[in-house]
Amino acid sequence: MLSKLTGTGVALITPFKEDNTVDFDGLKRLLNHVIQGGVNYLVVNGTTAESVTTTQEERWEILSLILQESKGLPIVYGIGGNNTSDIVRRIEKADLKGIHAILSVSPYYNKPSQEGIYQHYKAIAEASPVPILLYNVPGRTGSNIQAKTTIRLSELPNIIGIKEASGDLLQTLEIIKYSKKDFLVISGDDMLTVPMISIGAQGVISVLANAFPQKFSEMVDLALKNQFNKAAENLKEFVEINPLMYEEGNPVGIKQVLELKGICPSNVRLPLVKCSEGLARRIQNAVEAMK
């Protein structure tokens, strides 16, 4: 299980048509693009997928298509939120056949204590028939899973790792040093992937890999082979484009890149809106500079 979730995971976007319905043909093109690009696993229904503005029926339809089109790649499925009992019910009712792990974001908005975060994940882990990946992203949730809490959670048998997007390398290093031996630490920040691997992380769950799967996967592979100078050269190619991906909200930027590449439209659901003309021009210039 753990070896299947090393390397490059791609946090898949959800393509939408102009009428705001799910673009399943665009999703097929995206899957073909990232699979041919060499990613190691697929992350479905994460925050990049606009999961908070898709319905439960749409999520299962999306998952069903991806299970059919995944060509055997492992699938991580996002089930998270800030209502613990609701998440437990959703997991208990879900058909998780073919799912390798659940990625569950730390509770947002209600800002629980560290003990509350621990008990939240403990309840989810006990309810889930598949392994759990923690997801720490303070910039979205408004609270941080502190290293000591992650280390404590790593001792629970059904919690196998964390997508760590705090941006704090010292916190990451503490987790790597003190968590149980086979605990996965996965970068949740594309631009910190190489430094995180250099201190012991096992890969990344990437937004940029939607559009640049081959380039990003090669970079991660180099880093995992301890070829950090070469990996860093690859990483530098993303310096200009990466901040543009988040300037007007995720996945606004990456969807604009995918539209430029002819993979799917850049439509997003409210309260997100398509990127401004000025940002679109800068994204196009950055993409052209990478060719």
Side-chain angles (χ1 to χ4, degrees), residues 105-162:
V105 67
S106 180
Y108 43 82
Y109 188 77
N110 42 17
K111 292 187 177 181
S113 67
Q114 294 301 301
E115 181 62 23
I117 291 172
Y118 176 85
Q119 294 297 337
H120 170 85
Y121 277 119
K122 182 173 182 288
I124 292 171
E126 290 173 349
S128 178
V130 299
I132 300 295
L133 284 171
L134 315 174
Y135 181 14
N136 185 34
V137 55
R140 282 182 176 264
T141 64
S143 64
N144 178 44
I145 308 177
Q146 295 175 7
K148 290 181 180 178
T149 303
T150 300
I151 293 160
R152 187 180 172 201
L153 285 165
S154 78
E155 298 300 323
L156 297 178
N158 205 30
I159 294 180
I160 62 169
I162 185 169

Side-chain angles (χ1 to χ4, degrees), residues 82-232:
N82 58 355
N83 183 337
T84 308
S85 61
D86 179 63
I87 297 170
V88 168
R89 283 194 298 269
R90 286 161 58 193
I91 289 173
E92 290 173 344
K93 292 179 179 179
D95 179 3
L96 298 174
K97 184 178 180 181
I99 302 300
H100 288 73
I102 287 172
L103 178 67
S104 195
V105 67
S106 180
Y108 43 82
Y109 188 77
N110 42 17
K111 292 187 177 181
S113 67
Q114 294 301 301
E115 181 62 23
I117 291 172
Y118 176 85
Q119 294 297 337
H120 170 85
Y121 277 119
K122 182 173 182 288
I124 292 171
E126 290 173 349
S128 178
V130 299
I132 300 295
L133 284 171
L134 315 174
Y135 181 14
N136 185 34
V137 55
R140 282 182 176 264
T141 64
S143 64
N144 178 44
I145 308 177
Q146 295 175 7
K148 290 181 180 178
T149 303
T150 300
I151 293 160
R152 187 180 172 201
L153 285 165
S154 78
E155 298 300 323
L156 297 178
N158 205 30
I159 294 180
I160 62 169
I162 185 169
K163 178 183 176 184
E164 177 60 40
S166 66
D168 187 338
L169 288 177
L170 289 177
Q171 175 166 290
T172 303
L173 184 60
E174 186 176 350
I175 293 167
I176 290 168
K177 181 175 181 179
Y178 294 111
S179 58
K180 67 183 180 184
K181 186 177 180 181
D182 58 353
F183 188 71
L184 282 169
V185 176
I186 299 167
S187 173
D189 185 325
D190 284 354
M191 298 306 290
L192 289 182
T193 298
V194 174
M196 284 182 66
I197 291 175
S198 75
I199 61 173
Q202 292 94 339
V204 63
I205 293 176
S206 169
V207 172
L208 285 169
N210 279 279
F212 309 102
Q214 184 174 0
K215 191 181 295 286
F216 213 88
S217 296
E218 287 176 352
M219 180 193 78
V220 173
D221 288 344
L222 286 168
L224 289 171
K225 293 175 182 175
N226 296 322
Q227 298 182 40
F228 293 112
N229 288 338
K230 291 182 179 179

